[in-house]
């Protein structure tokens, strides 16, 4: 996905102005590549920060395929592989499913009434870096304790149709949120 540099800077600037009013605390989450064999090398960090308008997530990541990627909060604080229903090992399966404290069972995106694990998509530039902040208006830093952040190989349509959980596909990067 190609982003015009001016549009990217303007979007990031507007987002930062909109949410920067009273950030109290922040937390850095180290993100790692993940595979069925385990947790790999660091690909950078995502800074979590409370704002008056929700949780601001600011990535500083590299080495990710360019494009749009599904981005979610997962239930468990683990990035370890696990055995899937077919008996095969799968990347970061110990992170569990998307964070859904109200048991909605619905994937409807970060601005709707579905589960709270839905974050805005992560945009990776042509140089394989992600630095554009995203805002999760229904989350706070307190919600993140004991969770993990997950980046998926594909995009996210914020729906369970035509594919469950937005169609993001495999888990490719993960980070545990330390308390």
């Amino acid at each position: 996905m190609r982003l015009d540099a001016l549009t990217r800077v303007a979007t990031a600037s507007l987002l930062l102005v909109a949410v920067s009013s009273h950030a109290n605390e922040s937390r850095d989450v180290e993100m790692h590549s993940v595979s069925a064999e385990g947790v790999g090398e660091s690909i950078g960090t995502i800074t979590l920060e409370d704002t008056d308008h929700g949780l601001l997530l600011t990535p500083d990541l590299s080495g990710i395929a360019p494009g749009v990627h599904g981005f979610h909060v997962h239930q468990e604080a683990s990035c370890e592989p696990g055995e899937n229903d077919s008996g095969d090992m799968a990347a970061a399966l110990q992170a569990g499913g998307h964070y859904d404290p109200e048991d909605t069972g619905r994937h409807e995106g970060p601005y709707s009434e579905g589960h709270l694990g839905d974050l805005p998509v992560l945009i990776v530039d042509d140089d394989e870096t992600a630095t554009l902040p995203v805002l999760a208006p229904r989350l706070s830093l307190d919600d993140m304790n004991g969770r993990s952040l997950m980046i998926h190989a594909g995009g996210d349509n914020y729906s369970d149709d035509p594919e469950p959980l937005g169609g993001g596909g495999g888990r490719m990067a993960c980070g545990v949120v330390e308390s």
Side-chain angles (χ1 to χ4, degrees), residues 116-134:
L116 290 179
D118 285 338
L119 298 174
V121 293
L122 182 73
I123 298 174
V124 180
D125 291 334
D126 289 338
D127 65 357
E128 299 184 348
T129 63
T131 58
L132 187 65
V134 299

Side-chain angles (χ1 to χ4, degrees), residues 83-97:
E83 192 173 306
N84 63 21
D85 292 338
S86 14
D88 298 321
M89 293 302 284
L93 206 58
Q94 294 299 315

Side-chain angles (χ1 to χ4, degrees), residues 26-167:
S26 69
R27 191 173 303 158
D28 289 335
V29 178
E30 187 168 1
M31 300 294 290
H32 294 268
S33 60
V34 292
S35 71
E37 288 76 43
V39 179
E41 294 183 16
S42 175
I43 61 167
T45 61
I46 297 176
T47 301
L48 309 177
E49 189 174 9
D50 273 329
T51 73
D52 289 343
H53 303 283
L55 185 67
L56 181 67
L57 298 95
T58 305
D60 184 8
L61 305 171
S62 62
I64 304 172
V68 176
H69 294 271
F71 188 31
H72 302 105
V73 177
H74 280 246
Q75 186 65 35
E76 306 298 331
S78 177
C79 293
E80 295 297 324
E83 192 173 306
N84 63 21
D85 292 338
S86 14
D88 298 321
M89 293 302 284
L93 206 58
Q94 294 299 315
H98 294 177
Y99 178 50
D100 189 9
E102 296 174 10
D103 292 321
T104 67
R106 296 185 324 267
H107 183 79
E108 297 180 359
Y111 311 108
S112 191
E113 299 299 317
H115 63 71
L116 290 179
D118 285 338
L119 298 174
V121 293
L122 182 73
I123 298 174
V124 180
D125 291 334
D126 289 338
D127 65 357
E128 299 184 348
T129 63
T131 58
L132 187 65
V134 299
L135 181 66
R138 300 186 304 142
L139 290 173
S140 71
L141 203 49
D142 288 341
D143 294 316
M144 302 304 291
N145 293 328
R147 311 277 172 244
S148 57
L149 291 175
M150 194 73 62
I151 301 170
H152 293 266
D156 189 338
N157 69 358
Y158 305 134
S159 175
D160 286 317
D161 184 42
E163 294 182 47
L165 303 174

